[in-house]
């Protein structure tokens, strides 16, 4: 199946590591031109150097209100268009609901909801012109609540609703908007949680990984590239009739409809 992404201009946030980096690598493999966004300029530059496609790097903090417009401005200045926006950046604090402070909530929402919303808004006129698409990376916690993931779960649910709302508008404007819900995916963030469990229970990494996977009732954790391939499909014209789709890529973790 041809994804027809060659020469398309894609903005990928959270591209310095984990799922965002894997998305950048898969899109580059399809021949897309990339706008790589995250906080770490060094990591983004290193990634850009390793990719065999035209890229620009925009290092910024997406919690800042003017960052999204700057990212889109850089993309248009360099490439003259935006065809794809993939919102990956997100970091929400886990923990006991009674211990989480207002500042933790504000911080989680500032990046994952407001950052993504502002990018959608800034990129929209360009996506309308190119008949492009958006893929929002949410998370299975948006469908299924859990006690120690109140910030992440609610922000993911909000992002899923925004996906549906913009997909509704996109019918009129010719912009496709879809979401991917990753399940537990072995990035640095999850690796740190597995390492913490391993040291807490005095077991090795592989046993801790197995224990966590069993608790989630999945056979194993996902690889970032497995999420990225689903993103590339939804972003591409090959998914031309996918509008407002919420795709769980979670190894079967979500058992509800
Ligand atoms: P990660 O922590 O490895 O990477 C996060 C990326 O976001 C990095 O590139 C980081 O630089 C960037 N970022 C963080 N704060 C930023 C800020 N203020 N401004 C700009 N960029 C910023 O995360 P990951 O595990 O790859 O997860 C990526 C996305 O997938 C997140 O939205 C996360 O909620 C979601 N997700 C991940 C999992 C998982 O198991 N890894 C599961 C469900 C959902």
């Amino acid at each position: 199946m041809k994804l027809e992404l060659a020469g398309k201009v894609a903005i990928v946030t959270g591209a310095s590591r984990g799922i965002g980096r894997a998305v950048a690598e898969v899109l580059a493999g399809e021949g897309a031109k990339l706008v790589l966004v995250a906080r770490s300029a060094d990591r983004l530059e290193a990634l850009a150097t390793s990719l065999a496609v035209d890229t620009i790097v925009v290092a910024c903090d997406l919690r800042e209100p003017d960052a999204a417009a700057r990212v889109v401005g850089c993309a248009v200045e360099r490439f003259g268009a935006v065809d794809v926006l993939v919102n990956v950046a997100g970091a929400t604090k886990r923990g006991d609901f009674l211990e989480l402070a207002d500042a933790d909530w504000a911080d989680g929402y500032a990046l994952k909801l407001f950052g993504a919303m502002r990018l959608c808004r800034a990129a929209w006129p360009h996506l309308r012109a190119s008949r492009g698409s958006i893929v929002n990376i949410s998370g299975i916690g948006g469908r299924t609540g859990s006690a120690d993931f109140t910030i992440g779960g609610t922000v993911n649910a909000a992002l899923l609703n925004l996906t549906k709302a913009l997909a509704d508008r996109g019918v009129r404007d010719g912009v496709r908007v879809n979401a991917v819900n990753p399940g537990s995916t072995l990035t640095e963030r999850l690796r740190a949680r597995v390492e913490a469990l391993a040291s807490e229970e005095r077991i090795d990494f592989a046993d801790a990984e197995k224990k966590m996977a069993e608790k989630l009732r999945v056979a194993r954790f996902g690889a970032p590239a497995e999420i990225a391939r689903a993103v590339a499909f939804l972003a591409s014209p090959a998914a031309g009739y996918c509008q407002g789709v919420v795709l769980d890529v979670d190894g079967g973790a979500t058992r509800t409809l």
Side-chain angles (χ1 to χ4, degrees):
M1 178 171 54
K2 276 202 159 50
L3 294 188
E4 296 171 42
L5 286 167
K8 302 280 187 199
V9 178
I11 299 173
V12 181
T13 75
S16 64
R17 59 178 197 234
I19 292 171
R21 184 184 168 107
V23 169
E25 288 171 340
V26 169
L27 294 180
E30 295 294 326
K33 300 172 193 171
L34 295 175
V35 180
L36 304 173
V37 186
R39 278 178 305 181
S40 161
D42 290 354
R43 281 187 180 226
L44 292 177
E45 294 289 359
L47 172 63
T49 310
S50 75
L51 301 174
V53 291
D54 247 357
T55 55
I56 57 166
V57 158
V58 188
C60 62
D61 185 339
L62 287 169
R63 291 170 300 183
E64 288 173 6
D66 60 351
R70 190 148 53 85
V71 168
V72 173
C74 290
V76 174
E77 188 181 78
R78 174 72 171 80
F79 295 120
V82 180
D83 299 290
V84 171
L85 166 64
V86 187
N87 284 308
V88 187
T92 50
K93 195 169 170 185
R94 288 179 171 270
D96 184 341
F97 171 63
L98 300 181
E99 304 292 327
L100 293 167
D102 279 7
D104 299 322
W105 282 84
D107 194 61
Y109 274 72
L111 176 60
K112 195 155 182 182
L113 184 65
F114 283 81
M117 175 279 290
R118 290 192 190 105
L119 273 164
C120 291
R121 190 172 58 196
W124 195 268
H126 306 286
L127 293 167
R128 186 168 49 200
S130 64
R131 301 189 76 74
S133 76
I134 297 173
V135 181
N136 291 320
I137 304 302
S138 179
I140 56 171
R143 288 197 197 268
T144 308
S146 68
D148 67 346
F149 198 53
T150 49
I151 302 176
T154 58
V155 84
N156 282 338
L159 189 57
L160 293 178
N161 192 286
L162 181 68
T163 300
K164 285 286 185 187
L166 293 183
D168 182 32
R169 184 183 173 115
V171 169
R172 180 167 91 222
D173 287 355
V175 179
R176 291 186 309 103
V177 189
N178 296 291
V180 169
N181 280 337
S184 294
T185 308
L186 209 45
T187 62
E188 281 175 39
R189 176 204 304 262
L190 182 59
R191 200 168 282 279
R193 284 177 58 210
V194 178
E195 275 162 6
L197 180 70
S199 83
E200 205 179 291
E201 306 227 342
R202 295 165 193 268
I203 52 179
D204 66 17
F205 187 91
D207 285 341
E209 193 179 341
K210 206 167 151 233
K211 198 164 180 179
M212 272 179 78
E214 271 167 12
K215 202 171 151 205
L216 293 163
R217 294 194 293 148
V218 291
R220 62 171 174 85
F221 292 145
E226 291 177 301
I227 309 300
R229 287 194 288 271
V231 171
F233 168 69
L234 283 176
S236 78
Y241 204 51
C242 290
Q243 179 69 301
V245 165
V246 177
L247 181 59
D248 299 320
V249 184
D250 67 353
T254 303
R255 283 160 170 89
T256 50
L257 287 174

